[in-house]
Amino acid sequence: QVQMVESGGGSVQAGGSLRLSCAASKLRACMGWFRQAPGKEREGVAAIWTPSGTGYFADSLQGRFTISQDNDKNTLYLQMNSLKPDDTAMYYCAADLRSGVCSTGVKRPNEYKYWGQGTQVTVSS
């Protein structure tokens, strides 16, 4: 089992930036970031294959987010730039695919086994 704790959320004005952290008991090969706004379904934001650091992103982000990792700290990061009010949501990190196969691309929420508790991001206009 993997324990993960997200942090770094907060309130920011449109156009600002935030960096979210996901401190894991141990980095897993296949991890991802998701978000869920009130009244909406949880959606995939990014995914990463940590052995190579290869990241994948939702097309809707238009290149505004990046994903990175610190292997020594067992921490995953999500750098969010040019934030918009539509980015307001609870952000979660996830690890380990139920299939055991880490394919390319952003995954669906039900594909992941382990979840953090989330960190709130609020973007005001």
Side-chain angles (χ1 to χ4, degrees), residues 62-123:
Q62 299 176 319
R64 297 182 294 118
F65 292 8
T66 59
I67 192 170
S68 62
Q69 65 198 70
D70 185 325
N71 294 335
D72 291 336
K73 296 181 178 180
N74 285 309
T75 300
L76 190 66
Y77 300 101
L78 183 70
Q79 177 68 42
M80 307 187 296
N81 300 323
S82 301
L83 283 163
K84 305 175 181 181
D86 285 349
D87 295 319
T88 295
M90 186 73 78
Y91 283 72
Y92 301 89
C93 63
D96 285 6
L97 295 184
R98 297 181 185 277
S99 68
V101 177
C102 194
S103 56
T104 59
V106 176
K107 315 297 187 291
R108 294 184 300 274
N110 61 4
E111 295 185 72
Y112 284 90
K113 293 169 64 175
Y114 303 114
W115 292 85
Q117 86 291 345
T119 186
Q120 177 68 38
V121 172
T122 302
V123 184

Side-chain angles (χ1 to χ4, degrees), residues 31-34 44-48 56-58 61 67 78 106-107 112:
M31 301 186 72
W33 283 99
F34 289 79
V45 172
I48 188 169
Y56 307 93
F57 301 90
L61 297 178
I67 192 170
L78 183 70
V106 176
K107 315 297 187 291
Y112 284 90

Side-chain angles (χ1 to χ4, degrees), residues 12-66:
V12 64
Q13 288 191 329
S17 298
L18 283 174
R19 188 178 77 158
L20 306 184
S21 300
C22 172
S25 51
K26 185 171 177 59
L27 280 182
R28 309 295 286 181
C30 198
M31 301 186 72
W33 283 99
F34 289 79
R35 66 186 181 186
Q36 187 166 18
K40 295 187 177 181
E41 293 185 353
R42 191 168 297 190
E43 64 174 350
V45 172
I48 188 169
W49 170 250
T50 60
S52 67
T54 302
Y56 307 93
F57 301 90
D59 292 339
S60 60
L61 297 178
Q62 299 176 319
R64 297 182 294 118
F65 292 8
T66 59

